Amino acid sequence: MISTIKAAIVGSTGYSGVELIRLLQSHPHVEVTSVISSSSAGAPIAEGFPHLMEIRTDLLDGIDVDNIRAKADVVFLATPHGVSMKLAPEFLEAGLKVIDLSGDFRLKSGEVYKQWYQHEPADQALVARAVYGLAEVYGDQVANSDFISNPGCFTTSALLGLYPAVKAGWIDPDSIIIDAKSGVSGAGRGLSLGNHYSEINENFKAYKINKHQHTPEIEQVLTEAAGRPVIATFTTHLVPMTRGIMSTMYAKLTEKRSSADFVELYRQFYEGRKFVRVRPDGNWPATKEVYGTNYCDIGFSVDERTGRITFISVIDNLVKGAAGQAIQNLNLLMNWDETLGLQFSPVYP
Amino acid sequence: MISTIKAAIVGSTGYSGVELIRLLQSHPHVEVTSVISSSSAGAPIAEGFPHLMEIRTDLLDGIDVDNIRAKADVVFLATPHGVSMKLAPEFLEAGLKVIDLSGDFRLKSGEVYKQWYQHEPADQALVARAVYGLAEVYGDQVANSDFISNPGCFTTSALLGLYPAVKAGWIDPDSIIIDAKSGVSGAGRGLSLGNHYSEINENFKAYKINKHQHTPEIEQVLTEAAGRPVIATFTTHLVPMTRGIMSTMYAKLTEKRSSADFVELYRQFYEGRKFVRVRPDGNWPATKEVYGTNYCDIGFSVDERTGRITFISVIDNLVKGAAGQAIQNLNLLMNWDETLGLQFSPVYP
Amino acid sequence: MISTIKAAIVGSTGYSGVELIRLLQSHPHVEVTSVISSSSAGAPIAEGFPHLMEIRTDLLDGIDVDNIRAKADVVFLATPHGVSMKLAPEFLEAGLKVIDLSGDFRLKSGEVYKQWYQHEPADQALVARAVYGLAEVYGDQVANSDFISNPGCFTTSALLGLYPAVKAGWIDPDSIIIDAKSGVSGAGRGLSLGNHYSEINENFKAYKINKHQHTPEIEQVLTEAAGRPVIATFTTHLVPMTRGIMSTMYAKLTEKRSSADFVELYRQFYEGRKFVRVRPDGNWPATKEVYGTNYCDIGFSVDERTGRITFISVIDNLVKGAAGQAIQNLNLLMNWDETLGLQFSPVYP
Amino acid sequence: MISTIKAAIVGSTGYSGVELIRLLQSHPHVEVTSVISSSSAGAPIAEGFPHLMEIRTDLLDGIDVDNIRAKADVVFLATPHGVSMKLAPEFLEAGLKVIDLSGDFRLKSGEVYKQWYQHEPADQALVARAVYGLAEVYGDQVANSDFISNPGCFTTSALLGLYPAVKAGWIDPDSIIIDAKSGVSGAGRGLSLGNHYSEINENFKAYKINKHQHTPEIEQVLTEAAGRPVIATFTTHLVPMTRGIMSTMYAKLTEKRSSADFVELYRQFYEGRKFVRVRPDGNWPATKEVYGTNYCDIGFSVDERTGRITFISVIDNLVKGAAGQAIQNLNLLMNWDETLGLQFSPVYP
């Protein structure tokens, strides 16, 4: 029999935090005992989020490590980079399991972190201790850890789509181009012209071209997969929709293979992993087909004319790209079935 | 201990049908043993709905009463009006419980049906046998029936918002105006210029003004509540969004009362009913706050200047307005907790 | 031969201001000589609005009355209420014609202004001097003025839809209910959760119920039309789209008439006025059908069952509801054809 | 003094046709004397398109070459491929100038046409006679022709973005990858699940990967530019918006250059051409910044890490990608200023 554990969510009023609340509400073995917001402490969570009325009637807590230790066994940090690096050590020291959703512990090189985040890196011993929670790739390591660094949203969609091919040596690592598109919720709940409705609706735009901080995170894992340094071209775009990421990815084949070959390779690689659905040849996923769920769906198109393959990989950025994968990591870390609390169908249409 | 029952869904490739599949997937005591589509029988359900890949791997059945009787205890008819009236008697005769989502059995008067649907009415004995499944109002009757006529989507939002006030005599039944707005999924999956993306996006329009077939359904229930004939003004609009209905409703107060009085009246009326959330004074629900769930949220604004009250009532048209309330009715009919399988949080944002 | 006049736009970086720039760009007799923004003075206008690149290469001016007087004959104030009341007298004194788009000079009663705007009213002599620029109703007064108070967006759609019927005594002024829906651009370019993409997209909500400051503006004109005090119920909603307003309006008929009677009445009332298009019986306008233009389209549905009429009136909130009507007023004031510079077709789809 | 010419539009009830009507309404030297639809002949154009009420009060004509010859000097064929190839010779023989918006005369090789369109090609003599109307590249040829084949929408955005770099030899033609995104109006007004609102809204999907019929059109022009065969990777995606195309394009630099170098190259190449706006270094266009206009805006990002350049090129698919460029070609063909009738500002927001 599985006993229930108690969880605290720091950063409950951001979109990743509020998505953790939604998902954990249905988890059979997790009780959320504290929802925490430094800015709104003392207010009912349902005040700012009326959709939670009568679902959560508690007040937001402030950040008080002693209080949280008394209430919780695991803490989710849905906090911005720069903040997580301050909080994580305190919670770890207090004996809590920590699952961090920020970028602070993802990059193993402090120098690279500094370059892309333009911020001082976290303590390097802590960084070394954090397990990178790309669940379908590093699940074994997650199962033996108490400190998880949850991958970025773009990163998750890109890596799940590319990892098996790079690992198998089927594509040329020097030829990788990732053209990614995200719904607006990826930019968070903070206010800016960049998420003002009238500026985004009926508009499509690119941003942070060749500058996005998920670039080195992608390269770090692809480098591990390839067994040699990988540098990739990465572009991010904003789609006038709320949820969803598609990564359309291009690479040169190292030798002639068909889309069906890739389907087979990926099905073997992800065998037994419920949250990756490899599409049959000629079938490419759309973002809505994973809406509200922890799925990552992947499709392929090999073009004989050019000798290139096109990968399509989609996720819900707030679920598999954030809160859902964090819970999947909790499940792995607890040695539970990784699908616990995450077994719903996509909301369609 | 509750045993599991087996359910069949006729009309599985329409939006109400596919929403029944989504919701029943999480129901602890229902197994969907047959998904049925007369037009696509023999094809995998996941072919037309890739979001169901690896969730449902079965083929669509055709309409074969013997086969369905062998497979199922209850059948949901997510079929158009005119079709349900043919299928329901066959399934009832075969000893199945029937929950019909069409308009065929909602109107007690065949004449009124004919006038608004411009179609011959169903057999009047059957119509009399059907219990009108507005769960929070007629739940007791549902619990003793094997044949439920599930209410319309607009109707549900309008009636839950108006019923207690009319019953209490707090508003003048001759003054009721219902200005309703719906997401596009309410128009179904069939193709028409009326749901062509480029015609609907960045557009807002009214339709069927004073002609919508939900009008007599609303009036039938309000007449029962008022104890005398009620005729209402009803307008429907199409909102450029997929899911959600808001009914903004106006009426004259019969005597001076405050919004807070209405909050109190409604909280008492809906006491113990989890799916109606009465908002506090000064707080009005938005459609996204019930997205993907079976909630109906209601708010009030009394205006002393005009002596009128404005009601705001929101639902997800595919859940509380269709598939969700159908499952709630199944729960009531089985004498289960009415929330079984329907206990998720709204998808927000 | 018509000579060209020079115009300045104060508040050029708000949506009404930037829409004035767009529209005046095509006006054959107006040259925009100064675009003004107190907050961004000195920056190229195309920096914040890249869509204007190579269309306007000038820098934003600050607010300097002497400078503006030297450059311009007419000034448009696309400034918030509270600001216009300070600027208008200075520009008038400097001999400029002034067209104000704020609410500061619309309400003839300072007391009413104070109550609804919760702000001290403008100088009452100035308020008395301002002509209320509802062009199709008060065009004659506009033609003899140098100071126009441009109507609100909701107000314009509501009044053009109701005025002829109230004036004719065909509807009961005590029975008027206005259910209005607006695109998000009506809320301006300022940042708030209320126009955050992820909060608005796939959402529909009501706001300021019975509290919207356009209420007394509507009532003031309807009172003039009826020849006795009119109090109306007015609700505003936010639609997930950028542009467009629909007012769905309800009233009791004073005697039995058909929709066709109303079509005839309105066609006579608006005869010769190009920007009001009265729809034939049974045809109701959608917001997209006036997109980007100065049209107001109006349709009717009389319901014999209830003795009520439903009016549908649509405009583009930024054109007929703001910048377009302001230019129409300039045309009238200059004794030009009122359609000058405003003769384009709706952008459809 | 410029005299007015008379134009007929075949296919007036498709989106390109109705956009031609919108744009030509403002053209100072073109009178649209016949709007033609084989399917709706005899009906008022404003019946199916109420936004044209009182703007165009005429009836749709059928396809009658004699009648059209009597009425018009130039005919726009906004007809599907397969239809244009039948109509164009008749109109040419009748002495009309012909501007065809279909794909029928774009590909010089009949074999390639057959392969990508899966349809027999047009008469090859006619194909040879047609001038490919990519206005900024082949404007000189257009000026001497009476038969223009107007480029595809994706093609226009891709080619204007790539042509100068390929021509200059600054990028490796074998490395070109085009990741294109289009609004839904590009799929036309015909009905399909692919443009059903509920299927597209809040969704992002790829389609026709490595199979889109614009691929050989792009390659044909790039081959001319490079002076040797070019094969490109081309992916198309559907964005939940109505108008707009962005092509994000990738290529290897042939030698080290900066984004600023590309800005300079492109500014020289497009000097004097009003409809191409080359963005300064570090500034990338969004689709809304060209909304409703004939602009193509282009931005660059060279990445020293990878030795690749990323191009961003945006257009309004119905204007520069169809009706607008067709009118621009008419202007060139008539030896008028190419901007006539096309000089409006983008609709923003």
Side-chain angles (χ1 to χ4, degrees), chain B residues 73-346:
Chain B
D73 307 306
V74 60
V75 63
F76 292 92
L77 299 180
T79 37
H81 73 265
V83 175
S84 286
M85 69 174 67
K86 288 179 195 145
L87 296 178
E90 298 189 44
F91 287 117
L92 286 168
E93 202 168 313
L96 290 157
K97 296 172 202 305
V98 173
I99 299 176
D100 176 39
L101 283 77
S102 85
D104 277 353
F105 300 99
R106 294 177 191 153
L107 298 177
K108 293 307 176 190
S109 156
E111 202 177 336
V112 170
Y113 179 90
K114 197 170 170 178
Q115 177 191 341
W116 290 86
Y117 283 83
Q118 291 167 349
H119 191 284
E120 285 301 311
D123 175 77
Q124 291 300 294
L126 263 189
V127 172
R129 177 174 166 189
V131 166
Y132 184 70
L134 186 66
E136 280 78 11
V137 176
Y138 302 117
D140 290 349
Q141 297 173 38
V142 170
N144 294 300
S145 174
D146 60 356
F147 180 27
I148 309 298
S149 174
N150 212 53
C153 52
F154 285 118
T155 321
T156 297
S157 86
L159 289 178
L160 293 179
L162 292 172
Y163 193 92
V166 172
K167 191 83 180 178
W170 286 20
I171 58 174
D172 173 3
D174 290 334
S175 70
I176 295 173
I177 290 173
I178 301 165
D179 190 284
K181 301 90 174 172
S182 175
V184 182
S185 64
R189 209 183 187 214
L191 302 179
S192 79
L193 265 184
N195 54 29
H196 186 296
Y197 186 88
S198 304
E199 303 282 323
I200 296 302
N201 178 44
E202 200 50 15
N203 196 1
F204 186 86
K205 64 178 184 185
Y207 67 102
K208 288 194 189 175
I209 303 181
N210 292 322
K211 299 277 183 222
H212 198 286
Q213 70 276 8
H214 288 178
T215 311
E217 191 184 337
I218 293 168
E219 292 173 349
Q220 176 176 281
V221 175
L222 293 184
T223 292
E224 177 272 309
R228 63 135 170 120
V230 176
I231 291 180
T233 289
F234 179 46
T235 309
T236 48
H237 304 78
L238 210 55
V239 184
M241 63 184 188
T242 301
R243 286 170 180 249
I245 284 178
M246 178 182 287
S247 292
T248 310
M249 303 182 285
Y250 304 91
K252 276 277 178 199
L253 297 180
T254 50
E255 55 185 278
K256 193 170 171 172
R257 295 188 207 270
S258 69
S259 300
D261 292 336
F262 279 84
V263 171
E264 182 58 22
L265 175 71
Y266 276 61
R267 293 219 163 138
Q268 283 177 14
F269 188 90
Y270 290 118
E271 193 170 11
R273 307 311 292 263
K274 284 279 179 70
F275 291 129
V276 175
R277 300 190 295 190
V278 178
R279 293 298 180 92
D281 190 4
N283 181 314
W284 309 295
T287 60
K288 204 168 182 58
E289 290 159 11
V290 299
Y291 207 82
T293 72
N294 203 48
Y295 287 110
C296 174
D297 283 17
I298 304 169
F300 313 91
S301 174
V302 165
D303 186 12
E304 293 192 7
R305 296 169 66 249
T306 59
R308 290 195 190 97
I309 180 169
T310 303
F311 301 88
I312 303 283
S313 172
V314 302
I315 60 168
D316 181 318
N317 57 303
L318 293 179
V319 190
K320 186 62 176 170
Q325 186 158 242
I327 294 168
Q328 184 182 5
N329 280 320
L330 174 66
N331 289 339
L332 290 170
L333 178 156
M334 298 299 295
N335 295 302
W336 297 338
D337 179 330
E338 69 178 336
T339 68
L340 276 184
L342 297 168
Q343 298 148 327
F344 16 72
S345 296

Side-chain angles (χ1 to χ4, degrees), chain A residues 184 196-205 238-241, chain B residues 197-203 240, chain C residues 197 201 240-243 288 291 347-349, chain D residues 182-186 197 200-201 239-245 286-292 315-318 347-349:
Chain A
V184 182
H196 185 296
Y197 185 88
S198 303
E199 304 282 323
I200 296 301
N201 178 43
E202 200 53 14
N203 196 0
F204 186 85
K205 64 179 183 182
L238 210 54
V239 184
M241 62 185 188
Chain B
Y197 186 88
S198 304
E199 303 282 323
I200 296 302
N201 178 44
E202 200 50 15
N203 196 1
Chain C
Y197 185 88
N201 178 44
M241 62 184 190
T242 301
R243 285 170 181 249
K288 203 167 182 59
Y291 207 83
V347 179
Y348 194 96
Chain D
S182 175
V184 183
S185 63
Y197 185 87
I200 296 303
N201 178 44
V239 184
M241 63 185 189
T242 300
R243 287 169 179 250
I245 283 178
T287 61
K288 203 168 182 60
E289 290 159 11
V290 299
Y291 207 83
I315 61 169
D316 182 318
N317 57 303
L318 292 179
V347 179
Y348 194 96

Side-chain angles (χ1 to χ4, degrees), chain A residues 101-103 106 117 132 134 149-159 214 217 245 315 317 320-322 325:
Chain A
L101 282 77
S102 86
R106 294 177 192 154
Y117 283 82
Y132 184 71
L134 187 66
S149 174
N150 212 53
C153 52
F154 285 119
T155 322
T156 296
S157 86
L159 289 177
H214 288 180
E217 191 184 336
I245 283 178
I315 60 169
N317 57 304
K320 185 62 175 170
Q325 186 159 239

Side-chain angles (χ1 to χ4, degrees), chain C residues 7-329:
Chain C
I9 300 167
V10 186
S12 288
T13 57
Y15 285 145
S16 294
V18 84
E19 185 73 352
L20 279 164
I21 293 175
R22 175 177 83 92
L23 296 173
L24 289 172
Q25 201 67 18
S26 306
H27 198 294
H29 302 302
V30 179
E31 183 191 358
V32 176
T33 52
S34 177
V35 287
I36 296 155
S37 164
S38 58
S39 58
S40 311
I45 173 79
E47 196 173 277
F49 296 95
H51 73 282
L52 291 176
M53 184 184 174
E54 297 179 15
I55 294 173
R56 288 207 69 95
T57 54
D58 52 339
L59 308 185
L60 287 158
D61 284 332
I63 298 180
D64 173 335
V65 175
D66 288 341
N67 178 38
I68 295 168
R69 180 171 42 184
K71 282 186 171 181
D73 307 307
V74 59
V75 63
F76 292 92
L77 298 181
T79 36
H81 73 265
V83 175
S84 286
M85 70 173 68
K86 287 180 196 145
L87 296 177
E90 298 189 44
F91 287 117
L92 287 168
E93 203 168 314
L96 288 158
K97 297 173 201 305
V98 173
I99 299 177
D100 177 40
L101 283 78
S102 86
D104 277 354
F105 300 98
R106 294 178 192 155
L107 299 177
K108 293 307 175 191
S109 155
E111 201 178 337
V112 171
Y113 179 90
K114 197 169 170 178
Q115 175 191 342
W116 290 85
Y117 284 82
Q118 293 168 346
H119 191 283
E120 285 301 310
D123 174 79
Q124 291 299 293
L126 261 188
V127 171
R129 176 174 166 190
V131 166
Y132 184 71
L134 187 66
E136 281 77 11
V137 175
Y138 302 116
D140 291 348
Q141 297 173 39
V142 170
N144 295 301
S145 173
D146 60 355
F147 180 27
I148 309 298
S149 174
N150 212 53
C153 51
F154 284 117
T155 322
T156 296
S157 85
L159 289 177
L160 293 179
L162 291 173
Y163 193 92
V166 171
K167 190 82 178 179
W170 287 20
I171 57 173
D172 173 3
D174 290 335
S175 70
I176 295 173
I177 290 173
I178 301 166
D179 189 285
K181 300 90 174 172
S182 175
V184 183
S185 64
R189 207 181 188 216
L191 302 178
S192 79
L193 264 186
N195 53 30
H196 185 296
Y197 185 88
S198 304
E199 303 282 323
I200 295 302
N201 178 44
E202 200 52 13
N203 197 0
F204 186 86
K205 64 179 184 184
Y207 67 102
K208 288 194 189 176
I209 304 181
N210 293 320
K211 299 277 182 220
H212 198 284
Q213 70 276 11
H214 288 180
T215 310
E217 190 184 337
I218 293 168
E219 292 173 349
Q220 177 175 280
V221 175
L222 293 184
T223 292
E224 178 272 308
R228 59 127 167 132
V230 175
I231 292 180
T233 288
F234 180 46
T235 310
T236 48
H237 304 79
L238 210 54
V239 185
M241 62 184 190
T242 301
R243 285 170 181 249
I245 283 179
M246 177 181 288
S247 292
T248 309
M249 302 181 287
Y250 304 90
K252 276 277 177 198
L253 297 180
T254 50
E255 54 185 278
K256 193 171 170 172
R257 296 188 207 267
S258 69
S259 299
D261 292 336
F262 279 85
V263 171
E264 182 58 24
L265 174 72
Y266 277 61
R267 291 220 163 136
Q268 284 178 15
F269 188 91
Y270 290 119
E271 194 169 11
R273 307 311 292 262
K274 284 280 178 68
F275 291 129
V276 175
R277 299 191 297 191
V278 178
R279 293 297 179 93
D281 189 5
N283 181 316
W284 308 296
T287 59
K288 203 167 182 59
E289 290 159 11
V290 299
Y291 207 83
T293 72
N294 204 47
Y295 288 109
C296 175
D297 284 17
I298 304 169
F300 313 92
S301 173
V302 165
D303 185 11
E304 293 193 6
R305 298 170 65 248
T306 58
R308 290 194 190 97
I309 181 169
T310 305
F311 301 89
I312 303 284
S313 172
V314 302
I315 60 169
D316 182 319
N317 58 302
L318 292 179
V319 191
K320 185 62 176 170
Q325 187 159 241
I327 294 169
Q328 184 182 4
N329 279 322

